[in-house]
């Protein structure tokens, strides 16, 4: 048994409910949000009054035509959940016409004691692999509705960070917050919304259009539970999603694990791509931060907690010792010597922190994507040429020549390249330095 | 699936879709105004080197028949530009409005691109222009891995995008030559002969599988 998620996100699990085998996960607590449009005022009042036992009502600014949002009063499981769904549809004789503006969201509680970090990891990665198929099963339209964007439209490394071996509360919370941070909507408008982990301790499925029948809603809740069930079973067997997908009969097993939705999901699944995506999540992405040094080490992330206490307006935009890839990819308008110096400084700072905290060797300060100065670049270029990397030097000269750059190449008596001057600028070609060693 | 205008009302659609790109016959059209029978747009033709804006193009309202699926767009991500000297990365910042809002599409450049651009007097701000961004969304500027490596070897290009997710750029570290980047992250190295020497064992198979996607 791994670390329980409720301890990591600091919330108390719900307890007093009765499990039932009616659902794929007998003891899974579920929250449901139903967005409805087109209900008349009197009809809406009646529906709200009749279902008040299990459903509460909210206004939703994104809806029109008297739109309301009905939410389960509390997370439910088993027969209680079944009863609440039946109650709602028994009180709705004339169900309003579906509008593509309205949608249905299903929350799965992830704070139960059996919900471990590994379960969430498996859930994320399994969902990520089957995402395209899921959209085509439910509604392709939702994929482009902006309010339920696919996870693959996000930078997957933001999610992949959760797969890091750095198992720590600060690490997790930082990366849950980081999901979708580049978006203007706080990153919650994804079909698979991980932001709900921090707010409610749930994962939210936002793929579903406005509900039109009881059976439809039951199917969708079943689908969400079946997806989580796969994650739970894999965890109980000590498997990761990657190991599962790499097994020969994994796709046949999916049908057994997901008796209701398995066939439908598999029919639209590009197996080769699914496996690639999983491999990318598990192998490429968690490795790269360490590989590039962008994310720094655990000690640096503790700083995040401290800075979180500072009001956002007064917060420094830079965390000490952290290098953000985005910062290095400077906007064209801003790129100048100053930006180069800043990046250089950041690299140096990172090297110091990395050396201190992670035991990694200190970065040589003269090696960087930006030469520290033109003089240093020329010196380095000279050193490179002298060091006998003639073949590469010739390749670079060849590249420049083909691009129409007039060069003055100084060669020694033995034909070795001693220096290269750009005739237009009359400058030594310092661009050689980052390419050559 | 009902037509968006019939389903949501022309007022709502007009309010939420104005500024979005509608890709009709693989030509990006910037929605200016939606009426009950037509969509007033500005079309973007040409290529990234020379985009052409055509104002006042009216499209039939039936293009919105597929619901929000009508607003589907090509995958954003890497694009090769300036004859292999610039690698740009398109990213949708998203907003509360619907569709791919052109104003929310941002252009980013890997550090090496800014470095090369400075040496070749390329103005990267050009690639942040709306018309260039719109055309970049649909421009087929991907180069297969083997061909791209050949072109680098021949000195014709510096950088290239294999797919919206994968690209090859010059490496910033010594002793390496080229670097493979996957959605903004360097994931390994590749030699000019095509030998992948990344730290990840299966990076090559991932590159093959994701090629063109």
């Amino acid at each position: 048994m791994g670390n329980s998620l409720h301890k990591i996100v600091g919330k108390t699990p719900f307890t007093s409910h009765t499990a039932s085998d009616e659902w794929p996960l007998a003891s899974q607590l579920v929250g449901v949000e139903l967005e409805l449009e087109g209900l008349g005022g009197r009809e809406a009042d009646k529906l709200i009054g009749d279902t008040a036992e299990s459903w509460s009502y909210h206004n939703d600014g994104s809806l029109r035509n008297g739109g309301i949002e009905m939410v389960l009063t509390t997370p439910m499981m088993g027969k209680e959940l079944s009863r609440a769904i039946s109650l709602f549809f028994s009180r709705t004789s004339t169900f309003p016409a579906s509008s593509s503006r309205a949608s249905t969201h299903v929350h799965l509680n992830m704070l139960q004691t059996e919900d471990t970090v590994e379960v969430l990891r498996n859930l994320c990665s399994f969902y990520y692999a089957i995402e395209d198929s899921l959209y085509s099963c439910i509604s392709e339209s939702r994929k482009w509705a902006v309010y339920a964007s696919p996870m693959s439209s996000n930078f997957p490394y933001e999610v992949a960070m959760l797969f890091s071996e750095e198992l720590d509360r600060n690490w997790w919370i930082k990366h849950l917050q980081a999901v979708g941070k580049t978006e203007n909507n706080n990153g919650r408008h994804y079909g698979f919304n991980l932001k709900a982990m921090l707010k409610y301790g749930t994962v939210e499925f936002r793929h579903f259009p406005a509900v039109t029948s009881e059976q439809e809603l039951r199917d969708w809740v079943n689908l969400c539970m079946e997806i989580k069930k796969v994650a739970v079973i894999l965890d109980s067997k000590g498997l990761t999603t990657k190991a599962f997908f790499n097994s020969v009969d994994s796709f046949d097993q999916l049908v057994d694990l997901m008796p209701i939705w398995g066939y439908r999901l598999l029919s639209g699944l590009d197996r080769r791509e699914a496996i690639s995506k999983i491999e990318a999540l598990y192998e490429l992405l968690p490795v790269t931060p360490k590989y590039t040094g962008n994310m720094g080490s655990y000690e640096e992330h503790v700083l995040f907690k401290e800075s979180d206490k500072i009001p956002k307006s007064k917060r420094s935009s830079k965390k000490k010792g952290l290098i953000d890839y985005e910062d290095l990819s400077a906007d064209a308008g801003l790129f100048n010597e100053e930006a180069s110096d800043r990046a250089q400084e950041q690299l140096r700072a990172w090297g110091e922190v990395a050396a201190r905290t992670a035991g990694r060797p200190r970065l040589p300060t003269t090696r960087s994507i930006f030469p520290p100065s033109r003089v240093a670049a020329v010196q380095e270029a000279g050193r490179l040429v002298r060091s006998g990397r003639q073949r590469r030097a010739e390749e670079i000269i060849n590249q420049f020549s083909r691009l129409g750059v007039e060069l003055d190449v100084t060669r020694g008596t033995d034909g070795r390249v001693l220096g290269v001057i750009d005739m237009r600028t009359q400058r030594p070609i310092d661009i050689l330095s980052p390419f050559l060693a | 699936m009902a037509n968006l205008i019939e389903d949501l009302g022309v007022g709502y659609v007009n309010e939420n879709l104005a500024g979005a790109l509608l890709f009709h016959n693989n030509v990006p059209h910037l929605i200016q105004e939606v009426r009950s029978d037509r969509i007033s747009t500005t079309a973007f033709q040409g290529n990234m080197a020379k985009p052409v804006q055509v104002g006042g193009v009216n499209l039939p309202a039936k293009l919105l028949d597929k619901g929000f699926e009508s607003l589907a767009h090509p995958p954003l991500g890497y694009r090769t530009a300036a004859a292999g000297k610039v690698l740009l990365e398109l990213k949708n910042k998203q907003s509360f409005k619907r569709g791919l809002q052109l104003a929310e599409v941002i252009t980013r450049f890997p550090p090496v691109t800014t470095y090369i651009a400075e040496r070749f007097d390329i103005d990267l701000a050009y690639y942040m222009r709306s018309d260039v961004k719109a055309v970049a969304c649909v421009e087929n500027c991907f180069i297969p891995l083997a061909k791209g490596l050949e072109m680098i070897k021949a000195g014709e290009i510096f950088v290239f995008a294999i797919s919206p997710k994968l690209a090859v750029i010059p490496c910033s570290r010594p002793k390496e030559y080229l670097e493979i980047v996957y959605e903004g992250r360097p994931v390994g190295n590749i030699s000019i002969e095509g030998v992948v020497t990344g730290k990840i064992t299966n990076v090559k198979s991932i590159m093959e599988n994701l090629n063109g996607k």
Side-chain angles (χ1 to χ4, degrees):
Chain A
M1 182 66 73
N3 284 18
S4 289
L5 284 165
H6 74 271
K7 289 179 188 165
I8 289 180
V9 296
K11 293 180 186 287
T12 316
F14 293 94
T15 46
S16 58
H17 292 273
T18 318
S20 161
D21 290 336
E22 189 178 344
W23 300 96
L25 288 172
S27 57
Q28 175 60 53
L29 283 164
V30 174
V32 178
E33 301 171 25
L34 304 175
E35 292 177 356
L36 305 169
E37 277 192 353
L39 285 172
R42 191 174 295 174
E43 196 180 351
D45 287 347
K46 184 172 181 301
L47 179 67
I48 292 163
D50 288 350
T51 58
E53 180 191 330
S54 303
W55 297 83
S56 59
Y57 138 87
H58 295 276
N59 274 321
D60 189 320
S62 68
L63 302 176
R64 302 284 188 281
N65 301 334
I68 57 170
E69 182 177 295
M70 301 296 290
V71 183
L72 282 178
T73 49
T74 178
M76 294 180 186
M77 68 164 75
K79 288 182 178 170
E80 197 181 0
L81 173 65
S82 189
R83 207 178 303 124
I85 292 175
S86 298
L87 172 71
F88 184 84
F89 287 92
S90 67
R91 296 292 188 275
T92 320
S93 52
T94 53
F95 212 79
S98 168
S99 153
S100 53
R101 194 164 28 216
S103 59
T104 303
H105 306 162
V106 177
H107 289 257
L108 294 186
N109 182 35
M110 294 297 292
L111 301 182
Q112 288 154 247
T113 45
E114 63 271 25
D115 291 334
T116 62
V117 170
E118 285 70 30
V119 170
L120 182 61
R121 283 175 173 164
N122 284 342
L123 181 59
C124 289
S125 52
F126 180 66
Y127 166 80
Y128 187 58
I130 62 165
E131 183 176 57
D132 290 339
S133 175
L134 194 66
Y135 275 106
S136 54
C137 276
I138 300 164
S139 169
E140 196 70 25
S141 189
R142 293 287 299 163
K143 192 174 182 177
W144 307 104
V146 172
Y147 286 6
S149 299
M151 188 192 274
S152 52
S153 71
N154 195 1
F155 285 126
Y157 59 74
E158 289 176 355
V159 175
M161 289 302 114
L162 301 174
F163 293 76
S164 167
E165 290 174 4
E166 302 266 2
L167 193 58
D168 174 82
R169 185 173 186 273
N170 292 310
W171 174 274
W172 269 71
I173 289 182
K174 175 178 172 58
H175 287 106
L176 280 171
Q177 286 173 335
V179 173
K181 68 176 179 181
T182 51
E183 271 85 58
N184 288 335
N185 55 28
N186 300 320
R188 71 186 175 92
H189 289 157
Y190 286 98
F192 184 75
N193 173 23
L194 273 171
K195 287 281 177 186
M197 270 302 293
L198 291 174
K199 197 170 181 184
Y200 306 112
T202 64
V203 290
E204 182 185 17
F205 292 80
R206 299 166 61 95
H207 308 74
F208 313 108
V211 69
T212 53
S213 72
E214 181 178 347
Q215 189 53 46
E216 202 172 40
L217 181 57
R218 285 178 182 276
D219 277 350
W220 292 340
V221 174
N222 277 324
L223 170 61
C224 300
M225 283 197 194
E226 282 193 335
I227 291 173
K228 186 179 171 188
K229 188 181 170 187
V230 174
V232 171
I233 289 175
L234 292 182
D235 180 41
S236 67
K237 291 181 177 176
L239 287 171
T240 61
T241 314
K242 183 189 162 202
F244 172 67
F245 271 99
N246 280 336
S247 66
V248 180
D249 59 345
S250 58
F251 290 93
D252 297 330
Q253 284 184 44
L254 264 186
V255 179
D256 295 334
L257 292 172
M258 304 177 73
I260 303 172
W261 281 88
Y263 273 118
R264 275 185 272 183
L265 281 176
L266 278 179
S267 62
L269 193 64
D270 181 339
R271 299 177 181 206
R272 198 177 172 200
E273 190 177 357
I275 291 173
S276 284
K277 285 168 82 176
I278 288 288
E279 284 176 344
L281 260 193
Y282 268 93
E283 293 203 18
L284 290 179
L285 305 168
V287 176
T288 49
K290 290 177 187 170
Y291 178 42
T292 57
N294 282 352
M295 295 309 298
S297 64
Y298 161 69
E299 279 186 38
E300 293 156 9
H301 288 294
V302 177
L303 296 173
F304 178 83
K305 193 180 174 186
E306 294 302 315
S307 65
D308 204 26
K309 294 172 184 170
I310 305 168
K312 204 171 181 180
S313 57
K314 294 182 181 174
R315 214 178 291 164
S316 157
S317 59
K318 291 279 170 292
K319 309 287 186 301
K320 187 181 176 187
L322 283 179
I323 297 181
D324 196 340
Y325 179 86
E326 291 174 26
D327 289 343
L328 287 177
S329 57
D331 286 352
L334 300 175
F335 185 78
N336 50 28
E337 288 300 324
E338 190 184 328
S340 171
D341 291 343
R342 189 165 55 86
Q344 183 68 23
E345 200 174 301
Q346 285 177 339
L347 280 169
R348 205 175 294 120
W350 174 80
E352 287 166 6
V353 174
R356 192 175 65 246
T357 59
R360 280 172 275 185
R362 186 170 177 152
L363 280 184
T365 50
T366 52
R367 296 290 175 82
S368 150
I369 47 173
F370 301 109
S373 69
R374 198 163 66 82
V375 175
V378 173
Q379 285 173 350
E380 189 174 0
R383 187 187 62 75
L384 294 169
V385 170
R386 281 194 302 278
S387 68
R389 306 303 292 259
Q390 288 293 307
R391 184 167 155 266
R392 287 193 175 180
E394 294 286 2
E395 282 174 0
I396 297 295
I397 291 165
N398 186 25
Q399 281 188 346
F400 274 80
S401 302
R402 284 175 182 273
L403 289 164
V405 180
E406 285 187 41
L407 302 174
D408 178 14
V409 183
T410 313
R411 293 179 185 273
T413 50
D414 56 353
R416 292 164 64 87
V417 179
L418 299 177
V420 184
I421 306 280
D422 181 347
M423 294 300 284
R424 187 174 64 83
T425 59
Q426 291 296 315
R427 290 197 309 180
I429 294 191
D430 53 0
I431 195 172
L432 290 176
S433 59
F435 293 178
L436 298 175
Chain B
M1 184 62 66
N3 183 288
L4 274 180
I5 299 172
E6 291 166 14
D7 184 15
L8 305 174
V10 69
Y12 179 90
V13 172
N14 202 18
E15 185 185 327
N16 283 278
L17 261 60
L21 286 174
L22 184 64
F23 293 86
H24 177 50
N25 292 337
N26 207 31
V27 175
H29 291 75
L30 180 67
I31 299 176
Q32 305 287 3
E33 188 185 11
V34 181
R35 297 190 184 177
S36 54
D37 59 338
R38 63 181 186 273
I39 311 163
S40 301
T41 68
T42 299
F44 296 100
Q45 295 170 337
N47 52 35
M48 269 194 276
K50 195 175 180 184
V52 180
Q53 272 191 56
V54 184
V57 177
N58 287 324
L59 298 176
K62 70 175 181 181
L63 284 179
L64 300 177
D65 275 351
K66 285 184 176 176
F68 285 114
E69 206 178 330
S70 318
L71 301 170
H73 58 80
L76 304 180
Y78 291 120
R79 300 289 189 275
T80 317
K85 294 193 199 72
V86 170
L87 182 74
L88 54 99
E89 193 182 1
L90 300 172
K91 171 88 173 87
N92 181 12
K93 277 179 77 75
Q94 296 197 352
S95 73
F96 289 91
K97 296 181 85 177
R98 305 275 177 158
L100 179 64
Q101 294 283 326
L102 186 55
E104 300 292 340
V105 177
I106 56 167
T107 315
R108 309 190 324 163
F109 306 97
V112 72
T113 291
T114 55
Y115 194 86
I116 294 170
E118 194 192 40
R119 268 69 189 171
F120 284 94
D121 287 338
I122 296 170
D123 181 13
L124 290 184
Y126 170 80
Y127 296 97
M128 297 171 182
R129 278 171 35 179
S130 294
D131 51 351
V132 180
K133 283 192 294 185
V135 173
C137 289
V138 290
E139 187 158 325
N140 184 10
C141 46
F142 305 112
I143 303 173
L145 181 62
K147 189 183 173 191
L149 292 176
E150 282 298 316
M151 292 171 81
I152 286 186
K153 196 173 182 180
E156 293 166 12
I157 58 172
F158 279 110
V159 292
F160 66 99
I162 306 169
S163 75
K165 293 187 175 192
L166 283 165
V168 172
I169 60 174
C171 185
S172 58
R173 282 179 303 283
K175 296 183 182 172
E176 314 284 355
Y177 192 63
L178 296 166
E179 195 162 50
I180 306 158
V181 282
Y182 176 84
E183 300 209 348
R185 295 276 166 175
V187 293
N189 292 101
I190 186 165
S191 74
I192 198 75
E193 290 81 20
V195 181
V196 177
T197 54
K199 300 198 174 185
I200 300 100
T201 51
N202 59 0
V203 63
K204 194 172 179 184
S205 69
I206 288 164
M207 287 178 72
E208 286 166 358
N209 287 349
L210 292 178
N211 199 359
K213 290 184 180 174

